[in-house]
């Protein structure tokens, strides 16, 4: 059987090879470049030292220390491209290191498509600075001024005298630079790039296809016990927590090697073999106190958000919408509702912890190992410096899945039983105890003049506060649900960019109504394109309605109101890809059983530009919508790897269809009822549309992230296609058969 | 009493309890990395293996039910393919694995054990599947990252490679 491989070199690995799986020792060896701790963060490498970022080896290769984790979207390949480009190395000469507290720099979380937009410039500057330092050394060694030197594949030579040369490896191999990272080294002109901007194959894909890639789920450590958490299937209201009334340890007596682990209201089981742990978790009798404080239905959820006292903040107020609306020729005002949705990674979260008296090592799929460490320190009551958090990739989660909960659960159990514990969430733990993507309800009102030009835009959005406390911290350490200290991050908020930026708007007002306190709501956190999908679903449908009232084609209508070249470029690109032939929406509505329609929409997240077209089929008797074909265009500034971005657009369009057609967290007053792939269905293979991905390149612009925009645009395009097919609008998603049939019936179409 | 089974053409004896789902035996006792936990409910295909050439959900298959049977995991797919095709030597990778790399189909890749095992089963039964046949055959295998369109292309590419006689 083949040897386990992962990208990069992991010198501290202690392989105990057996079969093909990986055994990792906790012994921590000497890293490639011994790094210095920073002043502020315990154990974080000093970001102001070049050695924190780059190490050159004797074999003329480089290790780039990257603080962003690979989430399965190819960002680590793209970041290495940036480094290789600036260092004049080939891709085969660069590798990266496992993300780990104290080893890799603290670049903040791998969130909001930030790897390339925020991390790219840091890596680029570090690589440029390393190149400059190497040129300085080469200049001394070769006795010529740096201006006369050139570099290719890490070989520095004198211009015009190729034989006078020295390699990076010979100059500094495995020694420290010992210089300050100033961030001021000159950068290459993007027009001379040869690596950035090309579709370099992802370095992780071969091992993933082969089955040798080491996911978190494959890691085993010596002496390890298998653990499972024990909770009701499906969480209740976040603010209530969960109380244990009684536990009956004798209920698992028959399972050899299994025992109960309890700390306050946290219950788990450990066993020597995994099946024992699985059975014990299912068999253990626990009586819970589960208050019935969630809303009874999704509709009641939205009413609760609207009727609760809110903290209102005007995010944007330009002109005077109140005065402008009465002057308009057409006004459309609608309410939209968007459900909680789950991250639901394909492999539920997994973590291993080894907590000793004075120290702890925790392996997990955290998007931010430094923040995970801070949270673990609180739960374990241990100083942060004594905790090491190592990242191992899990299944793609697209946001803040409960990886901290899994890590803390493993840590608490390990601390209780004084042995390393591996916790694998079961499917129902993962979907039932997720930090759900936020539910949202909105009032959208937009108006045009007689020529179909926008005169006023007003958006009111309601969302409740996000959670900061993980469930294990809540149950095992008694930590109450807390709100973030800063108003701006207490909840995902509607911003000017995702609500209205795409249009020229003389009068424009956005108001956020945040429901504080988290009482009677579910635990929430960011999920790919948080809120954007809800905003586009509403806003882009109202835009479509106005195009209809103006008797215009929805694409041309958007064009005439478009705000700037960058929005225009994606809109045009997607329309061209879809061979969009202008006509008024709904012009072909028929009484056939199966009707077809197409829709177009814009969407974004924070900084990039997205547009999509959807072609759908609706069965008016069953209410089933099938997305047949989707087109997505993105402009995200400089594109580092077009192949990866195309792959991202494909994934985003599929997820757009999945989320707008199928996904919804369901609940009863006592708890969540969607806990597996039957009760939380996602788009399946046979339901997948054909997709076309289009990239609008702006290599002269900073990279702005390309992982979110097509979700919002794609979902709204499907909603608009539904109107084109049926002449009916849906104001709530997912657009399930039940909702479709109800809407068609209401309009006399079924 | 140990259970005897054949895994990737090797006869192995396993000590686990007979009701243990095959998945846990493959992952923990035999330390394989292909089959992996996804749901434990036969809903997703993460744990798929071939049992006597038929795609099977190892998460709900008790060990005792596969006693004496031949199990092929992702790791053994190219050898299984070579045997089927009566090739003298097994290629480095099953053509579908190679096609998945060539198409850069994977995102996180966690679901690709199941997608590749199922796709290989399909190609062994139907050398030139139509789009519709691929969609139907693959419909029990989920992918959260939304790579279905690229996996579709990978299966089509593998079908072409296999028809061309090359590995
Ligand atoms: S893990 Fe077996 S089907 Fe999901
Ligand atoms: S590639 Fe991530 S689940 Fe399929």
């Amino acid at each position: 059987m083949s040897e386990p491989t992962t990208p990069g070199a992991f010198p501290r690995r202690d392989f105990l090879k057996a079969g093909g799986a990986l055994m990792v020792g906790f012994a921590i060896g000497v890293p490639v470049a011994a790094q210095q701790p920073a002043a502020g963060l315990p154990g974080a490498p000093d970001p102001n030292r070049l050695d924190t970022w780059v190490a050159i080896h004797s074999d003329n290769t480089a290790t780039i220390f990257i603080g962003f984790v690979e989430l399965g979207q190819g960002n680590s390949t793209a970041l290495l491209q940036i480094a290789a480009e600036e260092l004049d190395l080939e891709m085969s000469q660069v590798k990266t290191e496992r993300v780990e507290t104290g080893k890799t720099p603290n670049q903040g979380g791998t969130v909001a498509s930030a790897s390339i937009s925020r991390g790219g410039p840091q890596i680029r500057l570090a690589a440029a600075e390393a190149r400059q330092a190497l040129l300085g050394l080469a200049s001394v060694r070769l006795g010529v001024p740096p201006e006369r030197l050139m570099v290719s594949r890490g070989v520095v030579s004198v211009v015009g005298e190729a034989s006078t040369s020295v390699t990076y490896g010979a100059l500094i191999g495995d020694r420290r630079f010992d210089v300050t990272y100033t961030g001021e080294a000159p950068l290459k002109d993007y027009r001379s790039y040869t690596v950035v901007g090309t579709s370099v194959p992802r370095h992780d894909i071969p091992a993933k296809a082969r089955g040798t890639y080491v996911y978190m789920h494959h890691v085993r450590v010596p002496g390890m016990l298998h653990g499972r958490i024990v909770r009701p299937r499906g969480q209740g209201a976040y603010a209530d927590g969960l109380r244990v009334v009684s536990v009956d340890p004798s209920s698992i007596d028959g399972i050899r090697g299994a025992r109960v682990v309890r700390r306050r209201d946290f219950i788990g089981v450990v066993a020597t073999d995994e099946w024992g742990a699985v059975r014990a978790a299912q068999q253990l009798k626990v009586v819970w106190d589960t208050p019935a404080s969630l809303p009874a239905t999704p509709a009641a959820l939205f009413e609760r958000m609207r009727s609760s006292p809110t903290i209102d903040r005007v995010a944007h107020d330009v002109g005077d919408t109140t005065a402008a609306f009465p002057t308009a020729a057409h006004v459309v005002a609608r309410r939209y509702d968007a459900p909680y949705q789950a991250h639901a990674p394909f492999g539920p979260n997994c973590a291993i912890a080894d907590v000793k008296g004075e120290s702890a090592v925790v392996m997990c799929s955290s998007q931010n190992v430094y923040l995970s460490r801070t949270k673990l320190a609180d739960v374990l009551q241990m100083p942060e410096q004594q905790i090491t958090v190592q990242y191992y990739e899990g299944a793609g989660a697209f946001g803040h899945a409960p990886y901290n909960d899994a890590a803390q659960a493993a840590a608490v159990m390990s601390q209780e039983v004084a042995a390393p514990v591996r916790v694998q969430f079961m499917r129902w733990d993962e979907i039932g105890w997720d930090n759900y993507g936020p539910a949202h309800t909105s009032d959208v009102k937009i108006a045009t003049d007689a020529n179909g030009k926008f005169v006023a835009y007003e958006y009111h959005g309601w969302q409740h506060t996000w959670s900061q406390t993980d469930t294990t911290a809540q149950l095992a350490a008694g930590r109450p649900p807390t709100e973030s200290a800063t108003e701006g991050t207490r909840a995902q908020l509607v911003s000017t960019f995702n609500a209205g930026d795409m249009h020229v708007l003389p009068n424009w007002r956005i108001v956020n109504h945040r429901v504080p306190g988290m009482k009677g709501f579910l635990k929430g956190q960011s999920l790919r394109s948080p809120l954007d999908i809800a905003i586009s679903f509403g806003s882009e449908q109202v835009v479509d309605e106005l195009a209809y009232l103006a008797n215009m084609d929805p694409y041309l209508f958007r064009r005439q109101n478009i705000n700037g070249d960058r929005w225009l470029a994606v809109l045009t690109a997607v329309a061209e890809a879809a061979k969009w032939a202008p006509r008024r929406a709904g012009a072909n509505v028929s009484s056939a059983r199966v009707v077809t329609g197409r829709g177009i929409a814009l969407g974004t997240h924070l900084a990039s530009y997205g547009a999509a077209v959807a072609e759908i089929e609706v069965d008016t008797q069953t209410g089933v919508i099938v997305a047949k074909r989707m087109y997505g265009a993105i402009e995200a500034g400089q594109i580092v790897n077009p192949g990866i971005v195309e792959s991202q657009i494909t994934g985003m369009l599929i997820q757009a269809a999945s989320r707008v057609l199928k996904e919804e967290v369901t609940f009863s007053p006592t708890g969540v009822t969607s806990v597996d792939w039957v009760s939380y269905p996602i788009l399946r293979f046979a339901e997948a549309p054909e997709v076309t991905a289009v990239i609008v390149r702006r290599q002269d612009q900073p990279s702005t992230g390309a992982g979110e925009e097509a979700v919002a645009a794609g979902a709204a395009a499907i909603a608009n296609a539904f109107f084109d097919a049926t002449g009916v609008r849906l104001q709530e998603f997912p657009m399930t058969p039940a909702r479709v049939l109800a809407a068609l019936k209401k309009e006399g179409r079924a | 009493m140990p259970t005897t089974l054949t895994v990737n053409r090797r006869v192995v004896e396993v000590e686990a309890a007979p009701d243990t789902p095959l998945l846990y035996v493959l992952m923990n006792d035999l330390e394989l990395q292909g089959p992996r936990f996804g749901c434990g409910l036969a809903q997703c295909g993460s744990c798929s293996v071939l049992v006597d050439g038929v795609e099977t959900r190892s998460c709900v298959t008790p060990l005792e039910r596969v006693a004496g049977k031949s199990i092929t995991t992702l790791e053994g797919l190219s050898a299984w393919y070579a045997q089927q095709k009566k090739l003298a030597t097994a290629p480095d990778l099953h053509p579908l694995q190679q096609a998945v790399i060539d198409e850069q189909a994977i995102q996180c890749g966690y679901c690709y054990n199941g997608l590749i095992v199922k796709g290989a089963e399909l190609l062994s039964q139907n050398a030139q599947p139509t789009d519709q046949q691929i969609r139907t055959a693959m419909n029990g295998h989920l992918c959260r990252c939304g790579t279905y369109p690229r996996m579709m292309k990978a299966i089509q590419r593998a079908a072409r490679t296999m028809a061309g006689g090359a590995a």
Side-chain angles (χ1 to χ4, degrees):
Chain A
M1 281 174 222
S2 42
E3 180 168 308
T5 52
T6 47
F10 307 116
R12 66 188 168 282
R13 261 203 208 155
D14 172 18
F15 283 111
L16 299 176
K17 260 185 286 144
L22 173 70
M23 286 289 247
V24 179
F26 277 115
I28 296 189
V30 185
V32 177
Q35 289 148 61
Q36 301 165 343
L41 269 162
D46 185 347
N48 299 316
R49 305 299 300 172
L50 187 54
D51 295 298
T52 294
W53 301 91
V54 183
I56 303 286
H57 309 291
S58 306
D59 62 359
N60 211 26
T61 62
T63 299
I64 314 299
F65 298 92
I66 295 174
F68 287 102
V69 301
E70 176 61 60
L71 297 172
Q73 293 160 23
N75 58 333
S76 60
T77 299
L79 287 169
L80 282 178
Q81 279 178 264
I82 290 172
E85 180 71 67
E86 221 53 54
L87 274 163
D88 283 317
L89 290 169
E90 293 202 334
M91 282 303 282
S92 60
Q93 293 175 292
V94 288
K95 59 183 183 297
T96 182
E97 265 276 346
R98 177 171 305 291
V99 172
E100 175 179 331
T101 54
K103 292 276 185 323
T104 43
N106 183 358
Q107 291 185 286
T110 311
V111 297
S113 298
S115 304
I116 307 302
S117 61
R118 200 175 70 224
Q122 284 171 313
I123 300 292
R124 174 172 287 145
L125 282 166
E129 195 130 357
R131 183 181 188 272
Q132 204 179 31
L134 288 159
L135 282 180
L137 294 171
S139 164
V140 174
R141 177 81 62 99
L142 301 175
V144 295
E147 307 83 68
R148 288 194 47 215
L149 297 174
M150 57 173 281
V151 190
S152 169
R153 306 197 66 235
V155 179
V156 189
S157 58
V158 179
V159 177
E161 291 171 44
S163 56
T164 312
S165 67
V166 60
T167 66
Y168 283 173
L171 286 169
I172 199 171
D174 292 319
R175 279 175 293 118
R176 304 167 51 81
F177 283 100
D178 247 330
V179 299
T180 306
Y181 171 23
T182 65
E184 281 162 12
L187 298 174
K188 277 191 181 176
D189 185 320
Y190 71 90
R191 281 166 294 207
S192 67
Y193 284 169
T194 57
V195 183
V196 167
T198 66
S199 296
V200 171
R202 275 172 52 176
H203 63 66
D204 55 336
I205 283 185
K208 286 178 171 177
R210 198 175 273 279
T212 52
Y213 193 82
V214 178
Y215 292 95
M216 181 62 233
H217 308 70
H218 292 126
V219 183
R220 302 287 186 274
V221 302
M224 181 192 89
L225 296 174
H226 288 275
R228 289 294 183 279
I229 58 167
V230 180
R231 294 176 192 166
R233 292 208 181 166
Q235 61 187 290
Y238 179 51
D240 292 341
L242 185 61
R243 262 168 306 281
V244 177
V245 176
S246 65
V247 189
D248 175 9
S250 70
S251 57
I252 59 165
D253 275 353
I255 303 171
R256 197 160 44 93
R259 60 180 156 140
V260 178
V261 184
R262 176 172 183 182
R263 185 180 289 178
R264 302 169 83 117
D265 291 309
F266 175 91
I267 309 269
V269 291
V270 292
T272 42
D273 72 290
E274 190 163 12
W275 179 229
V278 173
R279 281 196 301 149
Q282 298 200 24
Q283 215 168 290
L284 183 69
K285 286 210 174 77
V286 184
V287 179
W288 302 99
D289 173 21
T290 47
S293 47
L294 286 172
T297 61
L301 163 73
F302 301 120
E303 287 323 311
R304 182 171 292 182
M305 283 165 67
R306 283 172 177 264
S307 60
S308 296
T310 55
I311 294 168
D312 298 342
R313 300 216 320 168
V314 178
H316 195 61
D317 203 0
V318 164
D320 185 346
T321 50
T322 315
F325 278 116
T327 70
H330 301 291
V331 181
V332 175
R334 297 274 182 260
R335 165 185 166 159
Y336 296 93
D337 295 330
Y340 291 113
Q341 295 185 324
H343 295 87
F346 184 80
N349 268 286
C350 180
I352 294 179
D354 188 9
V355 183
K356 303 225 159 61
E358 297 289 293
S359 66
V361 179
V362 180
M363 302 160 156
C364 60
S365 302
S366 169
Q367 289 184 310
N368 186 340
V369 289
Y370 286 96
L371 185 57
S372 292
R373 186 175 66 169
T374 303
K375 290 175 157 226
L376 281 160
D378 175 54
V379 173
L380 295 174
Q381 288 296 294
M382 188 182 276
E384 267 191 58
Q385 305 87 289
Q386 281 148 240
I387 303 172
T388 300
V389 180
Q390 296 177 338
Y391 174 76
Y392 281 84
E393 190 177 340
F398 304 98
H400 204 124
Y403 49 79
N404 279 324
D405 191 10
Q408 290 165 18
V412 166
M413 286 202 243
S414 175
Q415 199 170 35
E416 286 290 330
V417 303
V421 174
R422 171 182 185 265
V423 167
Q424 166 72 69
F425 274 7
M426 299 301 282
R427 175 49 58 199
W428 44 84
D429 300 328
E430 181 70 39
I431 303 187
W433 288 86
D434 189 16
N435 312 303
Y436 302 111
H440 182 66
T441 176
S442 65
D443 286 337
V444 189
K445 185 175 177 186
I446 316 180
T448 59
D449 65 16
N451 299 319
K453 286 272 193 188
F454 286 139
V455 294
Y457 181 108
E458 194 160 319
Y459 193 106
H460 289 259
W462 283 259
Q463 49 274 332
H464 65 76
T465 304
W466 285 14
S467 53
Q468 301 292 320
T469 307
D470 302 292
T471 302
T472 294
Q474 206 178 355
L475 302 182
R479 297 285 174 262
T482 46
E483 299 187 342
S484 158
T486 40
E487 178 66 28
T489 57
R490 282 183 180 163
Q492 181 71 17
L493 297 172
V494 184
S495 77
T496 50
F497 200 60
N498 50 21
D501 183 73
M502 48 289 281
H503 322 295
V504 173
L505 301 172
N507 301 287
W508 180 12
R509 183 175 160 85
I510 298 173
V511 186
N512 279 292
H513 305 268
R514 181 174 67 80
V515 185
M518 298 170 283
K519 280 209 165 40
F521 297 110
L522 292 170
K523 191 166 51 129
Q525 264 295 345
S526 59
L527 165 64
R528 192 181 217 176
S529 307
L531 239 53
D532 310 312
I533 179 170
I535 295 166
S536 275
F537 180 82
S539 183
E540 287 291 306
Q541 284 206 77
V542 174
V543 169
D544 240 48
E545 286 200 56
L546 287 162
Y548 183 82
L549 291 174
N551 204 8
M552 280 188 74
D553 169 79
Y555 161 59
L556 296 178
F557 178 79
R558 281 178 177 78
R559 272 188 84 92
Q560 81 170 20
N561 285 292
I562 204 83
N563 178 27
D565 290 348
R566 297 182 80 174
W567 278 114
L568 181 63
V570 284
L571 179 65
T572 309
V574 84
E576 281 174 2
K579 301 197 170 56
W580 185 275
R583 63 168 168 78
R584 194 184 189 200
N588 298 338
V589 171
S590 79
S591 58
R593 172 175 166 173
V594 176
V595 291
T596 60
R598 59 159 204 196
I600 191 165
L602 295 161
T604 182
H605 176 52
L606 293 173
S608 302
Y609 305 80
V613 167
E615 296 167 4
I616 69 165
E617 232 172 57
V618 185
D619 185 323
T620 55
Q621 261 170 47
T622 62
V624 172
I625 299 174
V626 181
K628 303 294 283 183
R629 201 159 216 321
M630 293 183 75
Y631 307 81
I634 275 196
E635 196 258 83
Q638 185 178 96
I639 300 297
V640 178
N641 186 318
I644 291 176
V645 174
E646 275 168 23
S647 171
Q648 284 303 295
I649 296 174
T650 300
M652 281 189 270
L653 293 173
I654 299 295
Q655 283 190 356
S658 185
R659 287 172 66 179
V660 83
L661 294 177
K662 304 189 80 159
E663 296 185 32
E664 175 173 32
V665 174
T666 57
F667 45 81
S668 73
T670 51
V672 165
T673 52
S674 45
V675 294
D676 59 24
W677 297 123
V678 172
S679 47
Y680 190 84
I682 62 171
L683 203 76
R684 306 183 77 92
F685 208 113
E687 299 165 331
E690 288 180 49
V691 296
T692 302
V694 183
I695 300 172
V696 176
R697 286 211 189 201
R698 286 298 301 271
Q699 298 306 86
D700 58 320
Q701 294 288 328
S703 299
T704 49
E708 330 234 7
E709 299 65 26
V711 182
I718 289 176
N720 286 335
F722 181 75
F723 173 80
D724 187 46
T726 63
V728 175
R729 290 215 169 258
L730 283 178
Q731 282 161 252
E732 192 179 359
F733 68 89
M735 301 160 70
T736 55
R739 288 201 178 98
V740 166
L741 290 179
L744 292 178
K745 196 165 173 199
K746 202 168 129 214
E747 303 290 327
R749 283 278 292 120
Chain B
M1 244 263 303
T3 308
T4 305
L5 53 159
T6 305
V7 178
N8 297 334
R9 311 178 71 195
R10 226 178 56 194
V11 178
V12 292
E13 294 206 333
V14 180
E15 288 292 344
D19 68 336
T20 309
L22 176 61
L23 172 63
Y24 297 117
V25 172
L26 297 173
M27 287 197 306
N28 296 321
D29 301 63
L30 303 178
E31 302 185 317
L32 290 162
Q33 292 198 170
R36 54 197 70 160
F37 181 77
C39 67
L41 300 162
Q43 293 175 351
C44 74
S46 184
C47 62
S48 289
V49 297
L50 300 177
V51 178
D52 292 336
V54 178
E55 185 262 319
T56 303
R57 307 287 161 111
S58 68
C59 68
V60 292
T61 305
L63 177 61
E64 60 199 347
R65 213 191 295 158
V66 291
K69 303 219 163 145
S70 176
I71 291 144
T72 305
T73 71
L74 182 65
E75 288 91 338
L77 219 50
S78 71
W80 173 78
Y81 169 73
Q83 189 184 24
Q84 279 207 318
K85 291 271 175 181
K86 304 195 171 40
L87 305 177
T89 50
D92 180 36
L93 292 171
H94 184 283
L96 183 54
Q97 288 172 300
Q98 188 58 52
V100 159
I101 297 170
D102 294 340
E103 291 291 339
Q104 294 280 294
I106 287 175
Q107 285 194 29
C108 81
Y110 197 95
C111 68
Y112 267 77
N113 170 68
L115 289 184
I116 292 172
V117 166
K118 185 69 189 178
E121 181 204 46
L122 168 66
L123 290 167
S124 76
Q125 296 162 350
N126 180 351
Q128 296 297 321
T130 62
D131 281 13
Q132 199 46 53
Q133 287 168 333
I134 295 173
R135 285 170 176 267
T136 306
M138 301 301 294
N139 201 38
H141 288 258
L142 301 175
C143 171
R144 183 53 165 159
C145 300
T147 69
Y148 304 127
R150 284 195 172 196
M151 184 58 186
M152 173 83 110
K153 285 198 187 134
I155 294 174
Q156 291 160 337
R157 178 191 277 257
R160 286 196 302 275
T161 325
M162 287 161 66

